[in-house]
Structure formats: structure tokens, C-alpha cells
């Protein structure tokens, strides 16, 4: 007799074979909530990464054998339970409406996942070994869609970003974030398969999912991580200047923010002169460290030049630049050299401005939803070239703020020659949870591309990340800090770097085949039992 749960068989009349049944609705609803809570606990600031697989398993079991509409409702419930608290930092200074709309929009993708999970039930009932595989592929499909739509997508909450301390993080070097997500979801599917059985009638073949689960972890541990190639060592300083006050009006005191970063750099120079610190080859300031355009404001430019001349090293400045057109602005990383000032040939303009934060799509319609959009007086103009910046001692791969969440924006800096990944960010409008979630993304990128990496924030968390994903010198939140480290440059390439998007494409094709197989299966009668 096939393996069943205790509750999945409906009592049948004499001579009628029993039909497969889902879990009772109350149990399914409870499992959907448990799924969201388990997924939430896997992400920073909690970081209980094994619970990501538990959350995947709970949603898989909740939606199994239900109608697609019911599966969608359960997926939506999981999504709200996950995203509402995960993205709570978005409501700190903008009000509840943007937070609610963003959380609901992300939960809608989880609804699609729940519907797809329910849809493939006849297929996985027929071939139970397909359940973990189908679960993993559907998760990748959901994330691929969410990462790209609408307005360029919002990749926050990808399973891969919950695995900073997990052995599965090693898989990023083979296939990037999609492969890590597959491994986590596959582990969750194996847990669901292992649990979906009658514990009163244990069967020997139920050992197979447990063996498969162990095999996933063992395979990840076998993947090597570390520096690719033999690059030189450079000394890099992160300057976290802090802001006068957190919130949307942090830049109302733009001069104070710039002064904080200048003074912190001058303080480091005094330590170097006194022999208390190593002289850096590069100083990195965060995003928005100069919201006064230093290319047009001579006072701001002179302050930065003084800092660069005194420390005797180039400074990567996070600056808001006016232009190129009238009323336009750019969010940029600009290299400022000692003795010569701004090197406009080494300038990166953020390619993916944040919708409704740095530019407003459909402004008239958006204003009807919230007048907060009028805080954005000028839309930021996107750049069109990768952030490959040459300092003389190193080639940097610069991305700004939440660009680190996008696979392609980071990868093309490495294929362009980047030896060190740099993330300039401003967390003054959010909280420490958001900063820690962003640092988890930096950790994955370091492993994915075999590069040392760093994150420089105005208020924290800043720090260095080694190519095996370990964080060094992490700063506190809402405080000033300077961290100096030696870091080895990377010169080789990982399989993930070389293959780019193709592993994800292959996984999406496989997901399509699973859905097609389920469509064929649903046209056939279910066999007895």
C-alpha cells in the first residue's frame, strides 16, 4: 500500500477505492503560518538558517493535494507572515502604507508558489521521489519572477540570503544564489517527503529522504571556497562617519554628514602618523557620504581633497551629483585622489535606482496612494556601465546599496576585472535589521565570485568579508567607526562567475517541465489508493 498520512484518506463506501486527501484545513493553515515564521527566523537578525528548510517543508505539506486556489491562499498567508516582519524596517520613517503595499506585493509571489505546489500534487503523488525536486524548482521559479518584476524586482528574502552561516553557502561558488536556493528548498522538500507518511506503519524506504538530506549537506561541504588566484594584498580603510540623526531627514544636515566622514579620515591619518595604524592604500566612504555635489560645490570638494591629501590615499566617495541634465541627479561612487582631486574617469553611477525611493514610476498615480512620493523632488538618473573602478593598487567592483541583491549587477563587475567587491550603502533611513540582511547578501557575493568584499555604511553595519563568507571587523549601528584591514585581491573566476545566469535558466526550464508533467498527469485518473 502506498505511503500516506494519517489524515489523507477519506472513508469510502464499500467497493470504492480511497481517494488521496490533503491535511485538514486547520492544520494546513497552522502549517502555513509556521512556514512564514520559520523562514523569517532563518534571516538576519535572527540567523537560524536551518529553519529555512523547515519553512519550505511546512508550506509544501500545507499546499499538497489542495486546489490551486487554496494553495494560493496558503502561500499568501506564508508570504504575509514572512515579509511583513522581514520588511518592517521600511515603515520606520515613511509610514505604514509603503510597508503594507510592499509586503503584500511580495506575498503575492508566495501565493503563486502555493498554487504551483498544489498544482503539481498529482505528479508527486505518482512519483514521490519527485517531491523534493519539484519543491526546489518551484522555489527558484518564484524567486526568479520576484527578482525581476515589477520595476526591476525586489530580491529581498531569497532563501540563499538566509544561509550566511550554513555549509550550503559554499554552493554559491558553483551556481550563485539560485543554486543555494535550490539546495535549501531541496532540503525542505526532503523533509516534507520524510514527514508525509504514516508513523504507525513505518516503511524501510522512508530512510531514502533522510539519506538524501544528508547528501545535500555533504555535497555542499565538499565544495572548496577561498581566494581564486594569487592577487596582491592591499590595505583598505572603511570610514563610517555616522549621521546627526536617523530618518528621512538625515540629509537635511548634509554638511554635518560630510564633515563626519572628513574628520574620521583625518583622525585615521593622525593614527597613521603616530604609528598606531597602517596607512591604507584605499579609503572607502559610504553612499551619501557627500550629498553636496563636490564637483560643483568648491567647499565640499576642498574638504574631501584635504582628507585625501592628509591620509595620502584615494578615497572612494559616495556622492550625489547633479546632472547630466537640468533637474537630474545621480547616485555615484567617485574616486578622489590625493594631490589631484576627483578622477571623473573612475566614476560609477548607480544603475538600479530604487523605485519610489530614488525615482517615482507613475508619479501622478503614486501620489494618489501616498503624498510621501513628493519628498523625491528629482528622479535619479540610472547609469549604464558596470562599477569597475581602477585605483592604481586595485580594481574595484562597486555596487551601491540594494544593488548587491541583484546577481547580474555584481557579476559584471567581476567579469569586467574587479579584484575586490565594494558595497557602498546608506542605512540611515532604516534600522540594524536591514543592514544585517544586506551584509548577508555581501557574504554570498564574496563566496559566489571568490572575492574579498566590504560594505561601507553611513551608520552601520560596515565590515569586511573574506572569500569564504566570514565577516571581519563588523561595526555597530548608529555610531561612528573606522576599520582598517589587509585584504588579498582576487584574480581568478569561479564556475558561478563564468556561467552567469545559465544555471538559473536551466533550473527554470526544469521547473517548466515539472509544471508540464503535472498538467499531463492531472488529465489522467488517479489510481486506487
Amino acid at each position: 500500500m502506498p505511503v500516506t498520512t494519517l489524515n489523507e484518506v477519506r472513508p469510502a463506501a464499500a467497493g470504492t477505492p480511497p481517494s488521496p486527501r490533503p491535511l485538514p484545513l486547520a492544520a494546513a493553515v497552522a502549517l502555513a503560518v509556521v512556514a512564514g515564521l520559520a523562514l523569517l527566523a532563518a534571516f538576519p537578525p535572527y540567523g537560524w538558517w536551518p529553519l529555512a528548510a523547515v519553512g519550505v517543508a511546512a508550506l509544501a505539506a500545507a499546499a499538497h493535494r489542495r486546489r490551486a486556489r487554496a494553495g494560493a491562499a496558503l502561500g499568501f498567508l506564508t508570504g504575509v507572515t514572512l515579509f511583513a516582519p522581514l520588511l518592517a524596517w521600511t515603515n520606520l520613517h515613511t509610514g505604514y502604507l509603503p510597508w503594507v503595499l510592499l509586503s503584500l506585493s511580495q506575498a503575492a509571489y508566495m501565493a503563486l508558489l502555493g498554487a504551483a505546489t498544489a498544482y503539481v500534487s498529482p505528479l508527486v503523488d505518482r512519483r514521490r521521489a519527485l517531491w523534493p525536486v519539484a519543491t526546489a524548482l518551484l522555489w527558484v521559479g518564484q524567486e526568479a519572477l520576484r527578482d525581476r518584476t515589477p520595476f526591476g524586482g525586489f530580491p529581498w528574502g531569497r532563501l540563499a540570503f538566509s544561509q550566511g552561516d550554513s555549509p550550503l553557502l559554499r554552493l554559491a561558488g558553483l551556481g550563485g544564489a539560485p543554486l543555494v536556493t535550490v539546495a535549501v528548498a531541496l532540503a525542505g522538500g526532503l523533509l516534507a517527503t520524510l514527514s508525509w507518511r504514516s508513523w504507525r506503519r513505518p516503511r524501510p524506504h522512508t530512510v531514502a529522504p533522510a539519506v538524501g538530506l544528508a547528501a545535500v549537506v555533504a555535497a555542499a561541504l565538499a565544495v572548496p571556497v577561498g581566494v581564486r588566484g594569487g592577487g596582491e594584498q592591499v590595505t583598505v580603510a572603511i570610514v563610517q562617519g555616522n549621521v546627526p540623526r536617523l530618518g528621512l531627514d538625515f540629509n537635511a544636515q548634509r554638511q554635518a554628514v560630510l564633515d563626519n566622514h572628513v574628520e574620521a579620515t583625518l583622525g585615521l591619518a593622525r593614527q597613521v602618523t603616530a604609528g598606531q595604524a597602517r596607512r591604507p592604500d584605499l579609503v572607502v566612504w559610504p553612499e551619501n557620504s557627500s550629498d553636496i555635489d563636490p564637483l560643483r560645490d568648491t567647499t565640499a570638494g576642498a574638504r574631501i581633497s584635504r582628507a585625501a591629501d592628509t591620509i595620502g590615499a584615494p578615497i572612494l566617495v559616495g556622492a550625489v551629483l547633479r546632472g547630466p541634465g537640468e533637474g537630474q541627479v545621480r547616485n555615484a561612487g567617485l574616486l578622489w585622489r590625493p594631490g589631484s582631486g576627483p578622477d571623473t574617469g573612475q566614476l560609477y553611477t548607480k544603475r538600479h535606482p530604487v523605485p519610489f525611493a530614488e525615482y517615482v514610476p507613475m508619479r501622478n498615480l503614486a501620489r494618489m496612494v501616498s503624498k510621501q512620493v513628493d519628498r523625491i523632488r528629482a528622479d535619479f538618473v540610472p547609469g549604464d556601465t558596470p562599477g569597475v573602478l581602477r585605483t592604481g593598487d586595485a580594481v574595484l567592483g562597486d555596487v551601491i546599496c540594494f544593488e548587491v541583491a541583484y546577481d547580474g549587477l555584481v557579476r559584471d563587475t567581476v567579469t569586467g576585472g574587479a579584484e575586490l567587491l565594494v558595497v557602498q550603502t546608506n542605512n540611515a533611513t532604516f534600522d540594524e535589521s536591514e543592514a544585517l540582511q544586506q551584509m548577508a547578501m555581501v557574504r554570498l557575493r564574496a563566496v559566489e565570485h571568490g572575492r574579498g568584499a566590504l560594505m561601507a555604511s553611513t551608520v552601520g553595519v560596515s565590515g569586511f568579508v573574506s572569500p569564504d563568507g566570514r565577516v571581519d571587523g563588523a561595526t555597530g549601528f548608529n555610531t561612528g567607526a573606522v576599520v582598517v584591514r589587509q585584504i588579498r585581491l582576487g584574480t581568478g573566476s569561479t564556475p558561478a562567475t563564468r556561467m552567469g545566469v545559465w544555471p538559473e535558466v536551466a533550473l527554470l526550464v526544469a521547473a517548466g517541465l515539472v509544471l508540464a508533467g503535472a498538467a499531463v498527469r492531472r488529465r489522467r485518473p488517479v489510481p486506487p489508493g
Side-chain angles (χ1 to χ4, degrees):
M1 181 178 177
V3 176
T4 62
T5 63
L6 296 179
N7 298 300
E8 68 182 288
V9 176
R10 175 191 295 173
T16 303
S19 60
R21 296 289 293 165
L23 293 174
L25 182 58
V29 170
L31 270 180
V33 173
V34 167
L37 293 175
L39 291 167
L40 173 67
F43 289 95
Y46 314 105
W48 299 341
W49 58 265
L51 291 182
V54 175
V56 171
L59 178 57
H64 188 54
R65 292 180 175 167
R66 312 206 85 89
R67 294 182 182 274
R69 283 180 298 178
L74 292 168
F76 187 78
L77 179 58
T78 295
V80 171
T81 307
L82 165 63
F83 285 112
L86 184 73
L87 304 178
W89 43 265
T90 61
N91 75 14
L92 294 179
H93 306 290
T94 60
Y96 287 102
L97 187 58
W99 164 58
V100 169
L101 293 176
L102 181 60
S103 299
L104 293 179
S105 69
Q106 299 307 296
Y109 291 93
M110 296 293 286
L112 292 176
L113 174 63
T117 300
Y119 186 79
V120 302
S121 296
L123 182 64
V124 301
D125 274 335
R126 180 66 174 172
R127 293 285 184 265
R128 188 54 57 88
L130 285 177
W131 201 358
V133 176
T135 300
L137 294 175
L138 293 179
W139 268 93
V140 171
Q142 174 264 142
E143 287 190 354
L145 186 62
R146 191 165 62 83
D147 297 350
R148 293 167 172 84
T149 60
F151 311 117
F154 187 72
W156 232 266
R158 296 170 77 177
L159 290 181
F161 295 150
S162 70
Q163 300 298 295
D165 295 315
S166 164
L168 299 182
L169 186 68
R170 293 168 168 258
L171 295 173
L174 293 180
L179 186 60
V180 179
T181 285
V182 160
V184 176
L186 184 65
L190 287 166
L191 286 175
T193 306
L194 183 62
S195 303
W196 194 274
R197 47 167 291 222
S198 173
W199 291 97
R200 293 180 181 177
R201 296 183 298 279
R203 304 278 183 172
H205 65 261
T206 57
V207 175
V211 173
L213 188 61
V216 170
V217 177
L221 289 172
V223 176
V225 294
V227 174
R228 317 294 181 183
E232 300 293 328
Q233 278 195 333
V234 295
T235 302
V236 182
I238 298 173
V239 173
Q240 177 180 303
N242 208 10
V243 301
R245 56 181 176 270
L246 300 176
L248 289 176
D249 62 345
F250 79 94
N251 58 2
Q253 298 188 38
R254 297 176 298 168
Q255 186 64 58
V257 176
L258 174 58
D259 287 346
N260 284 354
H261 289 84
V262 170
E263 293 303 321
T265 305
L266 295 176
L268 174 61
R270 290 191 291 270
Q271 292 181 346
V272 170
T273 301
Q276 299 171 343
R278 182 186 295 269
R279 184 178 300 277
D281 301 304
L282 170 70
V283 178
V284 180
W285 288 3
E287 177 190 26
N288 296 120
S289 49
S290 180
D291 273 357
I292 304 171
D293 184 347
L295 298 180
R296 301 188 181 221
D297 187 292
T298 56
T299 300
R303 295 284 286 155
I304 299 172
S305 289
R306 182 190 174 200
D309 294 345
T310 305
I311 194 65
I315 301 174
L316 180 60
V317 180
V320 174
L321 306 178
R322 286 182 284 170
E326 186 67 29
Q328 294 180 326
V329 289
R330 292 167 289 162
N331 191 347
L334 170 63
L335 200 66
W336 206 281
R337 298 188 184 274
S340 58
D343 184 350
T344 54
Q346 303 302 316
L347 168 69
Y348 170 63
T349 299
K350 187 175 184 180
R351 288 178 288 165
H352 197 319
V354 183
F356 304 104
E358 292 178 316
Y359 77 100
V360 181
M362 305 176 295
R363 184 179 286 268
N364 291 335
L365 179 61
R367 187 180 292 112
M368 295 171 62
V369 177
S370 173
K371 295 189 183 301
Q372 292 283 354
V373 299
D374 288 331
R375 286 178 174 267
I376 306 167
R377 295 182 177 88
D379 289 340
F380 279 74
V381 178
D384 56 8
T385 58
V388 180
L389 307 177
R390 290 168 169 80
T391 71
D393 292 299
V395 182
L396 309 181
D398 188 27
V399 294
I400 297 176
C401 196
F402 91 144
E403 287 186 321
V404 69
Y406 294 87
D407 300 344
L409 295 181
V410 180
R411 177 182 176 265
D412 61 11
T413 69
V414 180
T415 58
E419 301 166 319
L420 172 65
L421 300 178
V422 174
V423 180
Q424 296 176 284
T425 187
N426 170 31
N427 307 108
T429 54
F430 304 121
D431 65 10
E432 187 174 8
S433 296
E434 184 270 346
L436 291 171
Q437 291 164 16
Q438 202 168 38
M439 179 62 83
M441 301 174 193
V442 180
R443 297 178 70 180
L444 183 137
R445 299 307 178 195
V447 176
E448 179 180 15
H449 298 293
R451 293 289 188 273
L454 65 88
M455 185 165 88
S457 170
T458 47
V459 298
V461 175
S462 303
F464 292 88
V465 180
S466 61
D468 61 2
R470 290 178 296 175
V471 179
D472 182 32
T475 64
F477 189 76
N478 195 19
T479 184
V482 175
V483 186
V484 182
R485 290 291 186 273
Q486 280 190 302
I487 191 163
R488 186 171 296 280
L489 302 176
T491 57
S493 62
T494 64
T497 304
R498 292 192 295 270
M499 291 188 291
V501 74
W502 291 111
E504 185 179 35
V505 170
L507 292 168
L508 293 176
V509 170
L513 293 175
V514 167
L515 290 171
V520 172
R521 185 65 203 165
R522 292 175 73 88
R523 294 190 180 97
R524 299 177 182 174
V526 178

